[in-house]
PDB file of all heavy atoms in Angstrom:
ATOM      1  N   LEU A   8      72.547 107.655-110.777  1.00 42.00           N
ATOM      2  CA  LEU A   8      72.301 107.455-109.355  1.00 42.00           C
ATOM      3  C   LEU A   8      73.370 106.534-108.826  1.00 42.00           C
ATOM      4  O   LEU A   8      73.468 105.411-109.229  1.00 42.00           O
ATOM      5  CB  LEU A   8      70.918 106.847-109.117  1.00 42.00           C
ATOM      6  CG  LEU A   8      70.634 106.496-107.669  1.00 42.00           C
ATOM      7  CD1 LEU A   8      70.692 107.747-106.815  1.00 42.00           C
ATOM      8  CD2 LEU A   8      69.299 105.831-107.529  1.00 42.00           C
ATOM      9  N   ILE A  37      63.946 111.733-102.833  1.00 95.00           N
ATOM     10  CA  ILE A  37      64.239 110.340-102.526  1.00 95.00           C
ATOM     11  C   ILE A  37      63.927 110.089-101.057  1.00 95.00           C
ATOM     12  O   ILE A  37      64.482 110.754-100.177  1.00 95.00           O
ATOM     13  CB  ILE A  37      65.712 109.995-102.785  1.00 95.00           C
ATOM     14  CG1 ILE A  37      66.128 110.349-104.210  1.00 95.00           C
ATOM     15  CG2 ILE A  37      65.962 108.498-102.529  1.00 95.00           C
ATOM     16  CD1 ILE A  37      67.614 110.203-104.453  1.00 95.00           C
ATOM     17  N   SER A  46      68.840  96.490 -95.325  1.00 97.00           N
ATOM     18  CA  SER A  46      68.530  96.801 -96.718  1.00 97.00           C
ATOM     19  C   SER A  46      67.601  98.014 -96.734  1.00 97.00           C
ATOM     20  O   SER A  46      67.084  98.433 -95.687  1.00 97.00           O
ATOM     21  CB  SER A  46      67.890  95.606 -97.418  1.00 97.00           C
ATOM     22  OG  SER A  46      66.651  95.261 -96.815  1.00 97.00           O
ATOM     23  N   THR A  52      60.633 110.223-106.436  1.00 97.00           N
ATOM     24  CA  THR A  52      59.602 111.070-107.028  1.00 97.00           C
ATOM     25  C   THR A  52      60.286 112.211-107.756  1.00 97.00           C
ATOM     26  O   THR A  52      61.048 112.975-107.146  1.00 97.00           O
ATOM     27  CB  THR A  52      58.643 111.625-105.960  1.00 97.00           C
ATOM     28  OG1 THR A  52      58.049 110.529-105.250  1.00 97.00           O
ATOM     29  CG2 THR A  52      57.552 112.460-106.608  1.00 97.00           C
ATOM     30  N   LEU A  58      61.541 121.304-121.832  1.00 94.00           N
ATOM     31  CA  LEU A  58      61.829 122.648-122.320  1.00 94.00           C
ATOM     32  C   LEU A  58      61.779 122.742-123.841  1.00 94.00           C
ATOM     33  O   LEU A  58      61.512 123.813-124.392  1.00 94.00           O
ATOM     34  CB  LEU A  58      63.214 123.099-121.834  1.00 94.00           C
ATOM     35  CG  LEU A  58      63.434 123.123-120.323  1.00 94.00           C
ATOM     36  CD1 LEU A  58      64.860 123.564-120.017  1.00 94.00           C
ATOM     37  CD2 LEU A  58      62.427 124.037-119.642  1.00 94.00           C
ATOM     38  N   SER A  85      52.972 105.881-109.507  1.00 98.00           N
ATOM     39  CA  SER A  85      52.120 106.903-110.114  1.00 98.00           C
ATOM     40  C   SER A  85      51.387 106.311-111.307  1.00 98.00           C
ATOM     41  O   SER A  85      51.890 105.436-112.014  1.00 98.00           O
ATOM     42  CB  SER A  85      52.947 108.121-110.534  1.00 98.00           C
ATOM     43  OG  SER A  85      54.002 107.755-111.411  1.00 98.00           O
ATOM     44  N   GLN A 123      66.505  97.859-102.184  1.00 95.00           N
ATOM     45  CA  GLN A 123      67.927  97.854-102.533  1.00 95.00           C
ATOM     46  C   GLN A 123      68.753  97.266-101.395  1.00 95.00           C
ATOM     47  O   GLN A 123      68.580  97.633-100.231  1.00 95.00           O
ATOM     48  CB  GLN A 123      68.378  99.284-102.811  1.00 95.00           C
ATOM     49  CG  GLN A 123      69.778  99.412-103.353  1.00 95.00           C
ATOM     50  CD  GLN A 123      69.882  98.981-104.796  1.00 95.00           C
ATOM     51  OE1 GLN A 123      69.285  99.589-105.670  1.00 95.00           O
ATOM     52  NE2 GLN A 123      70.617  97.920-105.052  1.00 95.00           N
ATOM     53  N   TYR A 171      68.244 115.002 -86.450  1.00 96.00           N
ATOM     54  CA  TYR A 171      67.405 113.803 -86.443  1.00 96.00           C
ATOM     55  C   TYR A 171      66.028 114.232 -85.992  1.00 96.00           C
ATOM     56  O   TYR A 171      65.819 114.628 -84.846  1.00 96.00           O
ATOM     57  CB  TYR A 171      68.001 112.761 -85.499  1.00 96.00           C
ATOM     58  CG  TYR A 171      67.276 111.429 -85.506  1.00 96.00           C
ATOM     59  CD1 TYR A 171      67.278 110.629 -86.643  1.00 96.00           C
ATOM     60  CD2 TYR A 171      66.610 110.972 -84.371  1.00 96.00           C
ATOM     61  CE1 TYR A 171      66.641 109.395 -86.655  1.00 96.00           C
ATOM     62  CE2 TYR A 171      65.974 109.736 -84.362  1.00 96.00           C
ATOM     63  CZ  TYR A 171      65.992 108.953 -85.505  1.00 96.00           C
ATOM     64  OH  TYR A 171      65.354 107.733 -85.510  1.00 96.00           O
ATOM     65  N   ALA A 173      61.839 114.395 -85.218  1.00 93.00           N
ATOM     66  CA  ALA A 173      60.998 113.670 -84.270  1.00 93.00           C
ATOM     67  C   ALA A 173      60.324 112.456 -84.902  1.00 93.00           C
ATOM     68  O   ALA A 173      60.021 111.488 -84.210  1.00 93.00           O
ATOM     69  CB  ALA A 173      59.942 114.614 -83.695  1.00 93.00           C
ATOM     70  N   MET A 180      68.465 118.949 -97.924  1.00 97.00           N
ATOM     71  CA  MET A 180      67.868 119.665 -99.045  1.00 97.00           C
ATOM     72  C   MET A 180      68.948 120.464 -99.773  1.00 97.00           C
ATOM     73  O   MET A 180      69.774 121.122 -99.143  1.00 97.00           O
ATOM     74  CB  MET A 180      66.754 120.601 -98.563  1.00 97.00           C
ATOM     75  CG  MET A 180      65.609 119.893 -97.859  1.00 97.00           C
ATOM     76  SD  MET A 180      64.300 121.028 -97.301  1.00 97.00           S
ATOM     77  CE  MET A 180      63.611 121.498 -98.887  1.00 97.00           C
ATOM     78  N   LEU A 184      70.998 122.907-108.188  1.00 94.00           N
ATOM     79  CA  LEU A 184      72.182 122.143-108.578  1.00 94.00           C
ATOM     80  C   LEU A 184      72.420 122.316-110.073  1.00 94.00           C
ATOM     81  O   LEU A 184      71.497 122.197-110.884  1.00 94.00           O
ATOM     82  CB  LEU A 184      71.996 120.662-108.249  1.00 94.00           C
ATOM     83  CG  LEU A 184      71.832 120.307-106.768  1.00 94.00           C
ATOM     84  CD1 LEU A 184      71.653 118.801-106.610  1.00 94.00           C
ATOM     85  CD2 LEU A 184      73.020 120.786-105.954  1.00 94.00           C
TER      86      LEU A 184
END
Side-chain angles (χ1 to χ4, degrees):
L8 175 61
I37 305 172
S46 63
T52 302
L58 302 179
S85 56
Q123 187 74 64
Y171 185 66
M180 300 180 70
L184 297 180

